[in-house]
């Protein structure tokens, strides 16, 4: 029987049936062929081309599984990065968009059995931030592209420059207000003159507050009036100074000053801790299983740090050199009395002496051995220091 014509009803029906996703159990990942029904899948399995692919896969099955796993991981992360960026999103939403492509790599051909296993693996390897909720697993992509980091630093620098401009404007306005208040107080300050009379018969009069009194031409009364005027002037000056101090104390901070203080506190907190901690000449332990049992849980010395997050390490047992990410290693805690290097926090890159270990708080007591704070005792978390080589 010949093949149906392109515009025949049968050919059109076959094209309609082949659109969209088909059943996964009738898909052959090795041949990348989707069959429409059980009979078609049976015929495909008996075909010579399928048998040849099975023979190739049987020679090295791990090679093919690793290839499909890498393809699945790369395409999944690329979709997550382009579609959602660094937003937190449900893993099932990303997977549903990923499988819309008919030519996608199916999960049953990878090393992960379920989407949950794949999500947990992404979190362990440091590709994404994952967290479990009653609604399921959520995932957030970690963007470590140098161009993105440079753009973020540029935005932070621009924001700081804008904040500095606002701060200068606020200081200028405050200086103008202060000068205006000073001129006003100088105008309101009374000027006192010496009490004199031109003739002996002229009466001397002075006003104390709301009341007024007239004294005779005697010298004692004039002296009394002068002293009273001086006392009144001194008391009024003291009251003004006290009121000015009270106004200064009661003056509240402006909204701009509060925002500036909050930004400075945030900058101080962010500057204390960094998201990279690798340093040369420290001892670390390999925790990834991707390199096999030969290197798993074995100690190594960091020889060189590359791009902040990667390092070249030398295995202590075998002497082999490996290039690892910081998520593939962990710090090593030596015995008390040994030298360590602080890797993160306010005392970063300081050498110290391990005094004791606090197992309840997952921290250790260190005595700083270098710098201006030499001899100071601090408490540092396990992950923030490591043994010196």
């Amino acid at each position: 029987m010949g093949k149906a014509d392109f515009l025949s009803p049968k050919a059109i029906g076959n094209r309609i049936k082949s659109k969209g996703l088909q059943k996964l159990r009738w898909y052959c990942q090795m041949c990348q062929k989707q069959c429409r029904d059980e009979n078609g899948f049976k015929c495909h399995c008996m075909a010579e081309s399928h048998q040849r692919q099975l023979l190739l896969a049987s020679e090295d099955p791990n090679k093919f599984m690793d290839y499909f796993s890498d393809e699945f991981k790369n395409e999944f992360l690329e979709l997550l990065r382009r579609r959602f960026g660094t937003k937190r999103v449900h893993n099932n939403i990303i997977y549903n968009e990923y499988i819309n492509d008919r030519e996608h790599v199916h999960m049953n051909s990878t090393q992960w059995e379920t989407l949950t296993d794949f999500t947990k693996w992404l979190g362990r390897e440091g590709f994404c931030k994952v967290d479990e909720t009653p609604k399921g697993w959520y995932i957030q992509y970690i963007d470590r592209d140098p161009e993105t980091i440079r753009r973020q630093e540029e935005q932070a620098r621009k924001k700081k420059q804008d904040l500095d401009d606002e701060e200068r404007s606020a200081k200028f306005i405050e200086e103008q207000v202060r000068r205006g208040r000073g001129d006003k107080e100088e105008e309101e300050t009374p000027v006192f003159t010496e009490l004199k009379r031109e003739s002996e018969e002229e009466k001397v009069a002075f006003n104390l507050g709301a009341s007024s009194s007239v004294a005779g031409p005697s010298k004692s009364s004039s002296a009394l009036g002068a002293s009273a005027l001086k006392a009144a002037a001194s008391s009024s000056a003291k009251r003004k100074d006290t009121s000015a101090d009270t106004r200064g104390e009661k003056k509240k901070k402006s909204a701009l000053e509060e925002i500036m203080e909050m930004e400075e506190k945030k900058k101080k907190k962010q500057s204390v801790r960094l998201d990279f901690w690798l340093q040369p000449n420290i001892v670390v332990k390999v925790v990834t299983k991707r390199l096999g049992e030969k290197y798993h849980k074995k100690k190594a010395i960091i020889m060189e740090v590359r791009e902040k997050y990667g390092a070249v390490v030398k295995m202590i047992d075998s002497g082999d050199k490996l290039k690892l990410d910081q998520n593939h290693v962990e710090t090593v805690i030596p015995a008390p009395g040994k030298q360590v290097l602080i890797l993160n926090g306010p005392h970063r890159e300081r050498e110290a002496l391990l005094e004791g270990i606090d197992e309840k708080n997952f921290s250790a007591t260190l005595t700083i051995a270098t710098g201006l704070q030499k001899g100071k005792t601090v408490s540092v978390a396990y992950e923030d220091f490591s043994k010196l080589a």
Side-chain angles (χ1 to χ4, degrees), residues 181 242-254:
R181 287 179 179 175
T242 308
S243 62
D245 295 340
T246 307
R247 286 197 302 269
E249 292 177 356
K250 292 183 178 179
K251 182 182 177 183
K252 293 183 179 180
K253 296 180 180 179
S254 64

Side-chain angles (χ1 to χ4, degrees), residues 165-175 256 260:
D165 294 340
E166 293 178 1
E167 184 179 359
R168 284 195 293 269
S169 301
K171 286 184 178 180
F172 177 75
I173 294 172
E174 186 177 355
E175 180 67 19
L256 179 61
M260 287 163 55

Side-chain angles (χ1 to χ4, degrees), residues 11 33 57 66 70 98 103 137 145 147-148 150 155 211 216 231 254 286 298 302 309-310 354 356 379 386:
K33 180 176 177 59
D66 292 342
D70 289 340
Y98 172 72
E103 304 299 329
W137 286 86
D145 184 22
E147 182 65 22
T148 303
R150 185 194 62 79
Q155 291 176 356
S211 63
S254 64
V286 180
K298 296 295 190 298
I302 295 182
Y309 300 96
L354 179 60
S379 179
S386 187

Side-chain angles (χ1 to χ4, degrees), residues 88-114:
R88 180 173 173 269
V89 65
H90 201 283
N91 61 350
N92 205 31
I93 296 177
I94 309 168
Y95 183 72
N96 287 334
E97 291 195 14
Y98 172 72
I99 63 177
N100 283 334
D101 182 14
R102 291 188 61 191
E103 304 299 329
H104 73 275
V105 178
H106 291 69
M107 186 174 286
N108 60 356
S109 62
T110 65
Q111 62 183 3
W112 307 287
E113 296 181 358
T114 61

Side-chain angles (χ1 to χ4, degrees), residues 165-321:
D165 294 340
E166 293 178 1
E167 184 179 359
R168 284 195 293 269
S169 301
K171 286 184 178 180
F172 177 75
I173 294 172
E174 186 177 355
E175 180 67 19
Q176 295 293 329
V177 172
R178 187 182 64 80
R179 289 180 180 178
R181 287 179 179 175
D183 297 340
K184 187 176 181 182
E185 289 179 359
E186 290 178 0
E187 292 176 0
E188 293 178 354
T189 304
V191 178
F192 302 101
T193 59
E194 187 180 356
L195 187 63
K196 294 181 180 180
R197 60 180 180 178
E198 297 178 355
S199 64
E200 294 291 336
E201 296 178 357
E202 185 180 359
K203 295 181 179 180
V204 177
F206 53 88
N207 186 10
L208 294 176
S211 63
S212 61
S213 61
V214 179
S218 62
K219 293 181 179 179
S220 61
S221 61
S222 63
L224 179 62
S227 61
L229 285 173
K230 290 181 180 179
S234 62
S235 62
S236 62
K238 288 181 180 179
R239 283 197 300 271
K240 287 184 179 180
D241 294 340
T242 308
S243 62
D245 295 340
T246 307
R247 286 197 302 269
E249 292 177 356
K250 292 183 178 179
K251 182 182 177 183
K252 293 183 179 180
K253 296 180 180 179
S254 64
L256 179 61
E257 291 176 348
E258 293 180 356
I259 294 173
M260 287 163 55
E261 288 184 0
M262 291 174 62
E263 291 293 334
E264 288 178 358
K265 289 180 181 179
K266 287 182 181 179
K267 288 179 182 178
K268 287 181 180 179
K269 289 182 180 179
Q270 293 174 357
S271 62
V272 170
R273 291 196 61 84
L274 301 174
D275 59 348
F276 56 89
W277 54 268
L278 294 177
Q279 295 291 339
N281 299 324
I282 62 171
V283 181
V284 293
K285 183 185 292 184
V286 180
V287 294
T288 181
K289 295 182 180 179
R290 299 174 64 182
L291 302 176
E293 296 296 330
K294 179 180 179 182
Y295 302 114
H296 186 235
K297 294 294 183 182
K298 296 295 190 298
K299 295 181 181 179
I301 300 174
I302 295 182
M303 307 301 293
E304 179 186 355
V305 178
R306 295 183 178 178
E307 297 180 355
K308 297 181 181 180
Y309 300 96
V312 177
V313 302
K314 182 179 181 181
M315 305 303 298
I316 295 178
D317 294 341
S318 61
D320 298 340
K321 289 187 178 181

Side-chain angles (χ1 to χ4, degrees), residues 40-98:
F41 186 70
K42 181 180 178 181
C43 294
H44 171 72
C45 292
M46 296 172 61
E48 183 180 355
S49 60
H50 179 74
Q51 297 296 329
R52 285 198 303 268
Q53 291 291 339
L54 290 183
L55 289 175
L56 291 174
S58 61
E59 294 177 359
D60 192 357
N62 292 330
K63 176 183 177 181
F64 286 90
M65 181 172 290
D66 292 342
Y67 171 75
F68 291 135
S69 300
D70 289 340
E71 287 290 320
F72 180 83
K73 183 255 298 182
N74 293 335
E75 293 176 2
F76 189 90
L77 290 178
E78 184 67 16
L79 175 64
L80 175 62
R81 184 180 69 85
R82 292 183 176 275
R83 178 69 173 82
F84 299 99
T86 56
K87 295 181 180 178
R88 180 173 173 269
V89 65
H90 201 283
N91 61 350
N92 205 31
I93 296 177
I94 309 168
Y95 183 72
N96 287 334
E97 291 195 14
Y98 172 72

